[in-house]
Amino acid sequence: MADNTINTKQDEIIEQFSMLDGDMEMMIGYLMELGEKLPEMPESLKTEDNIVKGCQSKVWLTAEENEGKLHFQADSNTAITKGLVSLLVSILNNGKIDDVLNADLYFVHKIGMNRFIGTQRSNGFLSMIKQIKMYALAYKTKLENEA
């Protein structure tokens, strides 16, 4: 079962988006605002190795493990995509490895995100989720092998 923190963060996002009454322009604007609040990612981490494959825009994503929790850093070269990756980081950052791996990201459907980001970005967003889960799986395997 996923940690309540991840679900609590998702519920907060659902509530914030519900205040926009499904207004597409406002939702896109809000998404871009969220991207602006994403902590700065050091240029040294913006390498080819950290690029999320499957995104049209450039998206960099890294993960570090500390005491069984994952810390993510991310950035993108476009405002909307940066907003999308910032949603994931805000929900999953500092989550326990198993919670990140098993997270049901229901907020995507609840806010109707696919309606306002389009097919290409939806595919890219799925690639970001897949990358995050791959990091979680890699750290889980590494920790199990060290045990």
Side-chain angles (χ1 to χ4, degrees), residues 18-119:
S18 73
M19 290 181 217
L20 304 174
D21 286 332
D23 180 312
M24 300 293 185
E25 275 185 45
M26 285 173 66
M27 290 172 109
I28 295 275
Y30 184 61
L31 195 58
M32 289 163 60
E33 258 180 61
L34 292 174
E36 288 169 16
K37 294 176 183 164
L38 191 66
E40 195 69 36
M41 182 182 207
E43 287 298 319
S44 61
L45 293 177
K46 293 181 187 177
T47 63
E48 200 61 36
D49 287 345
N50 293 332
I51 286 183
V52 177
K53 312 290 181 271
C55 292
Q56 267 194 317
S57 309
K58 278 198 161 111
V59 178
W60 296 274
L61 182 64
T62 64
E64 291 176 354
E65 179 271 333
N66 188 9
E67 295 181 10
K69 292 186 175 188
L70 294 174
H71 176 72
F72 298 100
Q73 287 188 312
D75 200 358
S76 176
N77 64 343
T78 64
I80 294 173
T81 310
K82 190 170 180 173
L84 291 173
V85 78
S86 78
L87 280 174
L88 290 174
V89 168
S90 69
I91 291 169
L92 299 170
N93 207 24
N94 297 317
K96 294 177 193 154
I97 292 173
D98 280 337
D99 293 340
V100 171
L101 260 178
N102 301 318
D104 170 20
L105 298 172
Y106 57 82
F107 81 94
V108 175
H109 302 294
K110 294 262 182 162
I111 67 174
M113 197 163 76
N114 296 348
R115 272 189 7 256
F116 69 90
I117 67 169
T119 311

Side-chain angles (χ1 to χ4, degrees), residues 2 6 61 63 70 72 88 92 97-105 126-141:
I6 287 175
L61 182 64
L70 294 174
F72 298 100
L88 290 174
L92 299 170
I97 292 173
D98 280 337
D99 293 340
V100 171
L101 260 178
N102 301 318
D104 170 20
L105 298 172
L126 290 173
S127 296
M128 293 177 217
I129 294 170
K130 187 175 164 189
Q131 185 65 47
I132 285 173
K133 301 243 178 185
M134 292 299 287
Y135 278 132
L137 188 59
Y139 278 113
K140 180 181 174 120
T141 305

Side-chain angles (χ1 to χ4, degrees), residues 65 141-147:
E65 179 271 333
T141 305
K142 182 178 183 248
L143 291 175
E144 285 172 353
N145 289 338
E146 288 174 358

